[in-house]
Amino acid sequence: MPVTKATDADFRQLLDQHEKVVVKYYADWCGNCRLFSPKFKRLSEAEPEVAFLDVNAESSPEARKLANVTNLPYFAVFRNGELLETLAASKEEAVVELISKLHAN
């Protein structure tokens, strides 16, 4: 599934539309965020049943508050609209492990 850009205007709707969601919070000035973008796209292609969202943490304060974003890049996984877990990291292996929590019961 392609990565979808999300904002405060459509964030909640996107969470409600998809059972499993991975969110990457970023900022335009964040170098590590830019470096992670191709990895995030590759991960999204490997997980067709999971929705991948890109959220600009600076222009979407409500979406940022939902996951208690503390650092960038910051990742959050949601199942059925509920926050499961978050992670501040720029290592792909850590994000893969976070995504795996969506598949656990």
Side-chain angles (χ1 to χ4, degrees), residues 50-74:
V50 178
F52 283 71
L53 305 181
D54 252 347
V55 174
N56 186 319
E58 292 188 306
S59 60
S60 299
E62 294 304 315
R64 185 178 68 230
K65 276 188 222 154
L66 268 178
N68 302 311
V69 175
T70 57
N71 209 335
L72 296 173
Y74 195 84

Side-chain angles (χ1 to χ4, degrees), residues 11-73:
F11 188 72
R12 177 48 69 186
Q13 179 184 355
L14 288 164
L15 287 183
D16 292 342
Q17 283 176 352
H18 302 281
E19 179 190 354
K20 299 173 181 178
V21 179
V22 180
V23 183
K24 179 184 86 177
Y25 294 90
Y26 72 95
D28 292 333
W29 51 261
C30 172
N32 283 336
C33 300
R34 280 195 302 276
L35 289 171
F36 202 89
S37 286
K39 297 173 191 171
F40 198 60
K41 182 177 186 299
R42 189 172 62 250
L43 290 170
S44 74
E45 292 164 354
E47 296 275 354
E49 73 285 358
V50 178
F52 283 71
L53 305 181
D54 252 347
V55 174
N56 186 319
E58 292 188 306
S59 60
S60 299
E62 294 304 315
R64 185 178 68 230
K65 276 188 222 154
L66 268 178
N68 302 311
V69 175
T70 57
N71 209 335
L72 296 173

